[in-house]
Amino acid sequence: MVSKSARAYAATDTLTGVHGSDPGQLIVLVYERTFDHLKLAKKALESGDYGIEPFTKAHDLIQQGLLACLDYKTGGDVAQSLGAIYEWSLREILNARLTKSPQKVQEVLDVLAPLYEAWLALAPKESIPALRLVQGSGETASRAVNY
């Protein structure tokens, strides 16, 4: 069991890394956390649970971390297209919750995966120090706990 002080330290370390990182790296991070939560939500549905928390977190990450950050003036058609995809993703996440459909969650994952790969290729290769620790853990659930 992780102590309260250890979690606080990890949160501070991650926050410091986030403030000092490139915007492309942050977008990659948001995608990774979104995928973590969507996978947890899919697994919950497959086991007969509702997956309320992972669905909510995935929805929030897309809405506040991807959609809200689009610059429609500078981004033009690309921003419009990304906005449409993110809006569709939000609707499908809600639909998956209502219909308890792991297949719909997988569809969202399948649509977002190429966008993630593109951002991954564009983002600087230097990773955020705190993120390297999180990624090295290998446990999706433990990474998803902190969004």
Side-chain angles (χ1 to χ4, degrees), residues 12-114:
T12 302
D13 193 30
T14 300
L15 185 61
T16 303
V18 167
H19 284 300
S21 66
D22 177 80
Q25 290 175 321
L26 293 176
I27 292 170
V28 168
L29 174 64
V30 171
Y31 270 101
E32 289 173 352
R33 296 307 155 254
T34 301
F35 291 153
D36 289 344
H37 290 296
L38 287 174
K39 289 174 185 175
L40 287 171
K42 181 182 172 191
K43 193 172 189 173
L45 290 177
E46 290 170 343
S47 67
D49 292 332
Y50 293 105
I52 294 170
E53 186 175 346
F55 271 120
T56 302
K57 287 184 176 184
H59 189 277
D60 288 349
L61 284 165
I62 293 170
Q63 186 174 45
Q64 298 170 16
L66 297 174
L67 184 62
C69 297
L70 289 175
D71 183 352
Y72 291 100
K73 290 181 183 176
T74 307
D77 290 340
V78 173
Q80 292 290 333
S81 296
L82 286 172
I85 292 168
Y86 297 152
E87 294 271 351
W88 172 86
S89 298
L90 293 171
R91 286 191 305 273
E92 288 302 303
I93 288 170
L94 291 174
N95 194 4
R97 280 184 68 185
L98 290 172
T99 61
K100 299 179 186 172
S101 172
Q103 294 81 12
K104 289 189 185 295
V105 177
Q106 186 60 51
E107 288 173 14
V108 174
L109 287 164
D110 292 343
V111 167
L112 293 179

